[in-house]
Amino acid sequence: MQATKFRISLKAARINAGLSQKQVAEWFGHYFGKKVSRQWVSYLEANPNDIAPGYGKAFAELYQVPIDMINFAPESTLSYTSERNDPHERISNHERQASSHQ
């Protein structure tokens, strides 16, 4: 049996937590003791690879999900890894489609 691990985007994690970008910005402002704008939250949702590790941990805490469930890579909003010879190997949609047409 293959184990599959799903990751969701930062935006999906926020929406699943029932929070607006403004609410996230206010929480971060209190958490870090400095003003944070809604635009900053929007920027990080669009550019998750720009998030410093400390902020990633704070997002996971606020959204009440394990940090490894959030995808901080920019390539997609959903990624997975399967336990195979190389656990870090990813299969692209293109590779999956190509193999299904053989």
Side-chain angles (χ1 to χ4, degrees):
M1 174 183 268
Q2 288 186 336
T4 303
K5 182 178 204 173
F6 291 95
R7 293 184 183 182
I8 60 174
S9 70
L10 201 55
K11 181 177 181 179
R14 174 180 56 77
I15 290 169
N16 287 342
L19 298 170
S20 69
Q21 289 179 338
K22 182 179 178 188
Q23 290 171 312
V24 172
E26 290 170 356
W27 185 88
F28 266 86
H30 295 299
Y31 189 86
F32 288 107
K34 61 182 180 180
K35 186 175 166 96
V36 173
S37 69
R38 184 205 57 77
Q39 290 82 2
W40 177 81
V41 175
S42 177
Y43 172 82
L44 291 180
E45 287 182 351
N47 302 281
N49 55 319
D50 288 349
I51 297 173
Y55 287 107
K57 290 177 186 175
F59 276 113
E61 180 181 326
L62 174 61
Y63 298 156
Q64 297 181 355
V65 296
I67 193 166
D68 64 347
M69 186 177 171
I70 300 173
N71 184 14
F72 291 103
E75 69 269 4
S76 73
T77 58
L78 178 65
S79 66
Y80 73 92
T81 58
S82 297
E83 291 185 64
R84 293 189 294 251
N85 292 336
D86 179 1
H88 301 291
E89 179 183 0
R90 291 186 183 175
I91 299 175
S92 70
N93 285 333
H94 177 73
E95 290 171 320
R96 235 180 274 116
Q97 289 171 350
S99 67
S100 69
H101 293 293
Q102 294 177 354

